[in-house]
Amino acid sequence: MISSVLPTYSRAPLSFVSGAGTWLVEADGRRFLDLGAGIAVNALGHAHPALVEALNTQAGQLWHTSNLYQIPQQQALADRLVEHTFADTVFFTNSGTEACELAVKMARKHFYDKGQPERVEIITFDGSFHGRSAAGIAAAGSEKMTKGFGPLLGGFTHLAFGDHEGLAAAVTETTCAIMVEPVQGEGGIRPLSDACLKGMRDLCDEHGILLILDEVQCGVGRTGKLFAHEWAGVTPDIMMVAKGIGGGFPLGAVLATESAASGMTAGTHGSTYGGNPLGCAVGCAVMDIISDPAFLAEVNRKASLMRQKLEGLVASYPDVFESLRGAGLMLGLKCKVTPGDVVSAGYGQEVITVPAADNVVRLLPPLTITDEEITEAVARLDAAAATLSAS
Ligand SMILES: *Cc1c(COP(=O)(O)O)cnc(C)c1O
């Protein structure tokens, strides 16, 4: 008999009842160190006082009106995002995949309105993940996500990740955009080199097409900059954001330049919940903390501490781990064993990690993780690895 919850997830036998900072408490009372942060969502950890305060204050005042009316919290968050990024304008969604939907629509509409309606094709890459909507699965294109769900939304050209020559050759007069994650998350923490991202920007400029960055996982301070593309010194035309921006409240956004967004006039897109007062009040609190250069400097300092300790872990268990990769506090342990076994062994030591493709275990701790917690987390990962190691 089918379970009352649609069985689309394979869930670990863990049920958390409360959380504070980097810690989660299981129903049986065990305290887990959380290096998953709900897959990079709880960027400020669990129950951050500023976020609890922002949500509670807003909850006591007004939950929902509608985008039929002005929403001051939405305006405030859009202003913060515009102030701190390349963007001129922002549309709010409830999730990453809805941000993908709009990014696709926006890119096509931009060229339609420019009198180039044939420009509809978007180039995407193997190993990418853009969410589970019809556009999201078609964009990523992997058989794992698309099989049985056809006919798929057309208009995507899939290339190998990092295939520079292939990319230059793939741009045609029907191409409207390149869509890419600066650091692939689900694909196994695969960072695009700065040179590669710059090359994509140049290629887009050369052909007058749009660069769409999916920073749903790598954005909002995760890599030590507010957004990951800042490391490469380039800016996109359109950017998808979600996960960390709500700190645990469902919130996403599409950021765009005025030019890229030029086709999105009144009536062309909408959302009932997108940008509601609760989400945006929390989003403002998140942005106020994470956009502070001192906060980001701390993320970078802690990231190098964590990286250094993890390099030691990889060296200690050469039969379990192959290498460490990633950027900032978005780290991946490439495994020689099944990543699911590493994650399970971690549960046994009360430390939470997240599996990804390409035989990688992801470490995406709250950006607020302390030095002591980093030391403790790596000690727990060491104990977990010991249970898998022959030596
Ligand atoms: C999680 C994720 C998405 C989808 O976000 P949802 O909120 O699950 O719809 C899209 N792109 C990337 C890079 C992601 O990591």
Side-chain angles (χ1 to χ4, degrees):
M1 204 174 71
I2 195 167
S3 53
S4 58
V5 173
L6 191 73
T8 58
Y9 301 105
S10 35
R11 298 173 193 267
L14 293 168
S15 176
F16 299 108
V17 291
S18 66
T22 313
W23 297 88
L24 277 173
V25 181
E26 218 273 343
D28 64 8
R30 281 180 299 160
R31 283 165 48 80
F32 285 72
L33 257 176
D34 186 5
L35 304 186
I39 317 187
V41 167
N42 303 103
L44 297 175
H46 301 280
H48 190 287
L51 273 54
V52 172
E53 161 75 17
L55 184 64
N56 282 340
T57 301
Q58 188 57 47
Q61 284 169 3
L62 192 62
W63 287 25
H64 176 79
T65 53
S66 162
N67 285 307
L68 291 168
Y69 314 107
Q70 310 292 322
I71 300 179
Q73 297 79 8
Q74 197 178 113
Q75 183 65 52
L77 181 53
D79 288 346
R80 280 169 174 74
L81 288 166
V82 165
E83 180 193 337
H84 290 286
T85 70
F86 73 95
D88 301 313
T89 188
V90 183
F91 182 92
F92 292 104
T93 66
N94 310 286
S95 68
T97 204
E98 288 167 87
C100 175
E101 292 289 324
L102 174 56
V104 170
K105 287 175 70 176
M106 185 182 281
R108 289 181 173 178
K109 189 68 160 45
H110 171 81
F111 287 103
Y112 179 88
D113 285 8
K114 276 180 79 173
Q116 296 176 272
E118 70 284 356
R119 283 205 184 268
V120 295
E121 295 276 338
I122 299 178
I123 296 171
T124 59
F125 299 91
D126 288 350
S128 66
F129 183 79
H130 303 296
R132 298 296 194 135
S133 64
I137 62 172
S142 73
E143 184 173 304
K144 186 177 156 223
M145 278 186 280
T146 57
K147 198 176 174 199
F149 296 116
L152 299 176
L153 179 67
F156 294 97
T157 304
H158 304 104
L159 297 183
F161 190 66
D163 176 6
H164 300 242
E165 275 99 85
L167 180 58
V171 178
T172 70
E173 56 291 351
T174 61
T175 306
C176 70
I178 296 173
M179 179 188 282
V180 70
E181 294 159 79
V183 185
Q184 282 192 349
E186 305 301 310
I189 312 293
R190 297 202 291 175
L192 208 61
S193 71
D194 290 352
C196 201
L197 202 53
K198 278 196 190 109
M200 286 183 183
R201 177 71 269 176
D202 290 345
L203 194 64
C204 286
D205 291 344
E206 203 178 300
H207 292 273
I209 61 173
L210 303 174
L211 181 61
I212 304 174
L213 295 182
D214 181 345
E215 293 226 16
V216 168
Q217 194 161 149
C218 62
V220 196
R222 181 56 48 195
T223 67
K225 295 269 191 197
L226 186 54
F227 289 101
H229 65 261
E230 294 170 31
W231 290 110
V234 300
T235 57
D237 301 289
I238 299 173
M239 178 168 71
M240 297 140 63
V241 177
K243 294 202 165 94
I245 188 69
F249 197 94
L251 179 65
V254 174
L255 279 63
T257 62
E258 182 167 13
S259 165
S262 60
M264 304 308 296
T265 51
T268 54
H269 196 64
S271 168
T272 295
Y273 293 124
N276 94 9
L278 293 168
C280 289
V282 176
C284 283
V286 169
M287 272 298 287
D288 286 345
I289 293 170
I290 297 186
S291 64
D292 179 351
F295 181 90
L296 291 169
E298 267 296 282
V299 171
N300 285 303
R301 188 189 61 75
K302 289 184 291 196
S304 48
L305 176 69
M306 187 158 179
R307 193 179 259 275
Q308 177 203 324
K309 288 185 183 288
L310 289 169
E311 292 287 6
L313 177 75
V314 170
S316 301
Y317 297 98
D319 58 339
V320 178
F321 302 116
E322 189 178 306
S323 58
L324 174 72
R325 63 196 192 197
L329 288 173
M330 184 172 187
L331 295 165
L333 287 164
K334 174 104 171 159
C335 301
K336 287 186 181 156
V337 299
T338 309
D341 291 348
V342 175
V343 173
S344 296
Y347 293 153
Q349 304 301 323
E350 292 158 22
V351 60
I352 294 168
T353 57
V354 184
D358 201 29
N359 241 43
V360 163
V361 169
R362 268 179 284 183
L363 309 175
L364 308 158
L367 306 179
T368 48
I369 191 170
T370 66
D371 291 10
E372 296 70 36
E373 287 164 348
I374 289 171
T375 302
E376 176 63 22
V378 177
R380 290 183 184 203
L381 289 172
D382 190 295
T387 67
L388 300 170
S389 175
S391 54

